[in-house]
Amino acid sequence: MRDHGGNLDQAMASYGAGDWIDLSTGINRRPWPIPDLPAAAWRNLPTKAAQAALVAQAAASWGAAKGVAGLALGGAQAAIQLVPRLRPKGRAAVLGPTYNEHAACLTAEGWQVDAVTDPADLVGADLAIVVNPNNPDGRSFAPEALLALVGRVGLLVVDESFGDVTPDLSLLPHPARGGLLVLRSFGKFYGLAGVRLGFAFGTAEDIATLSRMSGPWPVSGPAIEIGTRALADLAWAEAMRAQLAADATRADALARTAGWRLVGGSDLFRLYDTGDARAAQDRLARHQIWSRIFPWSATLLRLGLPGPEPEWRRLEMALGPKA
């Protein structure tokens, strides 16, 4: 079932329109401040030089090793949709439960997809998917553990879409090697999901294949301009990691007042055992706060972190004893 967070249409259909706070995703609600953009970013087709500069900045900001090739795409989702075409169809193994687009896109392209819960069960797959840190439970793996899988699967795809808050987990600082592809998202940590920007990193051969499949202009001029500037703002990124860590602690304290138990997450989202996920979602929705529940769990609710203080005050009201 391809259900997702960010489905505010469903929230409004059930509870009415209004000033919704969307905490159903792991998108940072303290976004990087967008400056005025040059008119050329809107008017002209993106140049190859500008696209290359964006990828180079991403590689530098995320500490990619020399020789790791990269490609900018229209969000990590665009990469997820291309991955099934990067190798001949066969058996894929997806470590889960996790973001369901990986399995959905593989299935749509004719792959046999096995959902597994133990990394050892990835071994032998023609294509293996690991989200690190994982969405929605925050499960994470040391780089050495993932690198040990390279060569034991046909292609290992590591989705680091939430990796900005855990830079020590990234595989990008390790040398490029055949059979490994790393995906990154821009919009989640930088709070600009509407820019639709993501990246794929790997060997020159795999990146060249992805580039041919994605076409000459895989990202827009404004996305290139915003991404290049934001990724260069290392001071903002460092301060934001500290802010989000504090916000996560604050959210956990509020959740405890509602009797919820923390069972996982990252500094971009939290996963709580609420006892009754639908009732918990309804409780928040009555305050026009949207959250994420799952068809495979009756108790778990994922909650993003509020940004400005008015959002925190509304969450406090929703989770307080008089809610």
Side-chain angles (χ1 to χ4, degrees):
M1 183 177 180
R2 282 173 104 153
D3 62 304
H4 306 93
N7 54 335
L8 278 181
D9 289 335
Q10 179 183 335
M12 290 186 282
S14 299
Y15 297 93
D19 182 22
W20 282 87
I21 301 172
D22 188 4
L23 301 186
S24 68
T25 75
I27 297 166
N28 183 7
R29 292 188 65 83
R30 300 180 184 273
W32 183 78
I34 299 176
D36 291 335
L37 301 181
W42 300 96
R43 186 180 62 236
N44 299 339
L45 284 171
T47 65
K48 291 182 179 179
Q51 294 177 66
L54 169 61
V55 172
Q57 183 61 66
S61 299
W62 288 328
K66 185 178 180 181
V68 174
L71 176 68
L73 293 159
Q77 178 66 32
I80 292 169
Q81 291 175 199
L82 291 176
V83 162
R85 298 164 52 194
L86 196 54
R87 293 290 190 274
K89 299 172 188 176
R91 185 180 73 85
V94 179
L95 188 65
T98 192
Y99 183 53
N100 59 36
E101 281 295 319
H102 286 288
C105 290
L106 286 160
T107 299
E109 289 290 334
W111 285 75
Q112 174 197 332
V113 180
D114 295 332
V116 303
T117 58
D118 188 331
D121 292 330
L122 297 171
V123 174
D126 298 303
L127 191 153
I129 304 284
V130 178
V131 181
N132 193 42
N134 189 46
N135 166 20
D137 59 9
R139 184 184 187 188
S140 61
F141 301 92
E144 295 74 20
L146 295 180
L147 291 172
L149 290 170
V150 178
R152 304 181 72 193
V153 300
L155 174 65
L156 175 64
V157 178
V158 179
D159 183 343
E160 297 183 357
S161 285
F162 292 98
D164 288 270
V165 293
T166 52
D168 56 311
L169 296 180
S170 179
L171 295 185
L172 291 180
H174 298 266
R177 59 195 72 193
L180 175 64
L181 188 73
V182 177
L183 311 183
R184 293 293 292 242
S185 169
F186 169 80
K188 293 179 177 63
F189 177 72
Y190 288 89
L192 298 171
V195 171
R196 305 309 305 137
L197 179 61
F199 298 84
F201 293 93
T203 64
E205 181 180 5
D206 279 340
I207 295 303
T209 301
L210 288 173
S211 181
R212 288 192 295 272
M213 290 191 290
S214 65
W217 304 290
V219 293
S220 70
I224 292 172
E225 188 73 27
I226 292 168
T228 304
R229 295 193 195 189
L231 287 162
D233 194 347
L234 300 183
W236 181 92
E238 188 62 29
M240 185 52 60
R241 276 189 280 271
Q243 177 68 65
L244 291 171
D247 287 347
T249 299
R250 184 177 180 181
D252 293 345
L254 290 176
R256 285 194 296 272
T257 68
W260 298 355
R261 180 173 62 89
L262 177 69
V263 294
S266 77
D267 287 347
L268 281 167
F269 59 86
R270 315 302 279 166
L271 186 67
Y272 300 112
D273 187 332
T274 65
D276 185 333
R278 290 195 179 277
Q281 186 179 58
D282 177 73
R283 177 179 183 175
L284 293 170
R286 284 186 276 110
H287 293 264
Q288 293 195 309
I289 299 171
W290 195 231
S291 56
R292 175 81 160 99
I293 61 176
F294 305 93
W296 43 267
S297 173
T299 65
L300 296 181
L301 178 143
R302 190 188 68 192
L303 196 69
L305 303 177
E309 278 304 309
E311 295 186 359
W312 283 98
R313 288 195 292 271
R314 199 191 301 182
L315 183 61
E316 288 171 2
M317 290 177 59
L319 295 181
K322 296 182 180 179

